[in-house]
Amino acid sequence: SASLGVCVYPEDGHDLDTLMRHADLAMYAAKDQGRGRWVSFTASFKAEVEAQMELESNLRRALERDEFELYYQPRLSIAEDRIIGAEALLRWHHPTRGLILPGAFIPHAEKTGLIDRIGIEVIQAAALRQKAWADAGHDISVSVNLSARQFRDPRLMIDITTIVAETGCDPKRMQVEITESTLIGDDGTTAEALKTLTGLGFSIAIDDFGTG
């Protein structure tokens, strides 16, 4: 089967480079729609690509300018009547758009690979928070979310091991949340990463259970 992107001269471009670039955008749209089909170029494809390029540029700037911040959602034990844990939730303080929730930028961060850098910063900040709470006398576990894309980073476990050593956090009070879909399939890399995490003392929780 084939996925074809179609553009027409002169409506979609006046030179070869522009025509090829626009045909390429249409071809990827054909692939996204299930492959084995043809799609004609429209101006919306170009606008979408330009928006994604701007978002990627803004994400890189956000990393450089420390625009990301963690909010902590408490977990309470009704039996003990106290807070026993907290989930680290990422927020982006955009200079013009204000507070942005992760659903608006995490998928693109995963697509571009920026999730690796963002994820390590999240883990480090959460580890420092766990250590600060422990030093203040609070027995609170801190959980962070890891995406399937992060498990494909060969440096993930090295970086996490380094973070544990440098921050002095208690891994037994740290939890990693993964989606059920991360476990689907025969991915040896993910399995080894999870073994390493539990070996360090981290607990593992499955988020969105049942949706996969």
Side-chain angles (χ1 to χ4, degrees):
S1 65
S3 298
L4 304 179
V6 179
C7 66
V8 179
Y9 172 89
E11 292 87 345
D12 300 327
H14 291 86
D15 59 85
L16 181 60
D17 288 342
T18 300
L19 289 167
M20 289 296 292
R21 185 166 62 252
H22 289 174
D24 198 44
L25 292 175
M27 179 194 67
Y28 279 107
K31 289 183 177 181
D32 290 341
Q33 294 177 21
R35 301 176 180 269
R37 65 189 65 207
W38 64 272
V39 170
S40 292
F41 172 80
T42 65
S44 63
F45 294 159
K46 183 178 179 181
E48 181 180 351
V49 169
E50 290 175 346
Q52 290 180 354
M53 291 177 64
E54 182 181 4
L55 177 57
E56 181 176 354
S57 176
N58 287 340
L59 284 173
R60 292 185 185 278
R61 184 200 61 202
L63 282 166
E64 295 170 358
R65 299 184 182 181
D66 295 324
E67 293 175 359
F68 294 113
E69 181 182 359
L70 292 184
Y71 283 47
Y72 293 91
Q73 178 174 278
R75 286 178 171 159
L76 298 97
S77 169
I78 296 177
E80 300 177 47
D81 193 26
R82 71 179 184 90
I83 296 174
I84 60 173
E87 180 180 1
L89 303 174
L90 186 63
R91 300 291 183 266
W92 178 9
H93 288 278
H94 194 280
T96 58
R97 296 172 57 188
L99 194 67
I100 301 179
L101 299 180
F105 64 89
I106 288 296
H108 191 72
E110 292 178 336
K111 183 178 179 180
T112 60
L114 288 173
I115 191 64
D116 295 336
R117 288 178 57 191
I118 295 173
I120 288 301
E121 289 196 5
V122 167
I123 295 170
Q124 184 174 35
L128 287 170
R129 173 54 53 194
Q130 189 280 322
K131 179 67 165 57
W133 278 335
D135 290 345
H138 303 299
D139 182 17
I140 297 176
S141 64
V142 179
S143 64
V144 295
N145 292 279
L146 290 183
S147 71
R149 170 65 178 79
Q150 288 175 267
F151 280 100
R152 294 198 292 270
D153 180 7
R155 287 197 52 84
L156 177 64
M157 292 302 105
I158 298 174
D159 290 337
I160 290 179
T161 302
T162 301
I163 287 171
V164 170
E166 291 181 347
T167 62
C169 72
D170 181 1
K172 294 182 180 179
R173 292 294 180 269
M174 296 289 294
Q175 184 179 73
V176 169
E177 290 192 12
I178 59 176
T179 59
E180 184 183 15
S181 58
T182 303
L183 297 176
I184 294 176
D186 185 19
D187 188 348
T189 303
T190 299
E192 286 302 316
L194 292 174
K195 289 180 181 178
T196 300
L197 284 170
T198 55
L200 288 171
F202 284 74
S203 60
I204 310 295
I206 299 178
D207 200 10
D208 297 333
F209 184 74
T211 60

